[in-house]
Amino acid sequence: MNTEQQLFDETPLRRFEYDDSIVLAADVGAADDASVDVVDGTVIVVAGDEQHEFDVPDKDARAFINHGVLTIEMSLDEGDN
């Protein structure tokens, strides 16, 4: 399944569901100094002077930015459907 939501501001967030995982992806721009981290189920994105935070249901989520695309990977437990 593929759905679209909003991340922060006007940034579209795409959601891809697979058998055992969920992947969220957003084009956050090509800022060289952009970084992302996941702390206790909160994704923290820092780009320039701006910081954005949002919660994810998986505390073990992994997040990274590559070529301006933010990707968040989460495991899908059997009870999460």
Side-chain angles (χ1 to χ4, degrees):
M1 177 188 293
N2 173 351
T3 60
E4 191 169 306
Q5 302 170 314
Q6 270 191 239
L7 179 60
F8 41 76
D9 299 329
E10 300 290 320
T11 305
L13 176 69
R14 308 255 346 230
R15 177 184 174 115
F16 302 91
E17 291 187 22
Y18 302 100
D19 290 338
D20 61 349
S21 65
I22 296 172
V23 176
L24 305 175
D27 184 353
V28 295
D32 291 334
D33 59 348
S35 65
V36 63
D37 198 6
V38 181
V39 179
D40 293 329
T42 301
V43 175
I44 303 167
V45 180
V46 178
D49 293 335
E50 295 185 31
Q51 177 174 316
H52 303 279
E53 299 179 8
F54 60 98
D55 294 328
V56 292
D58 183 0
K59 291 187 183 219
D60 295 324
R62 295 169 303 199
F64 55 91
I65 297 176
N66 191 16
H67 299 291
V69 177
L70 168 65
T71 304
I72 302 165
E73 299 174 342
M74 298 176 283
S75 298
L76 183 62
D77 294 332
E78 290 182 24
D80 290 346
N81 295 9

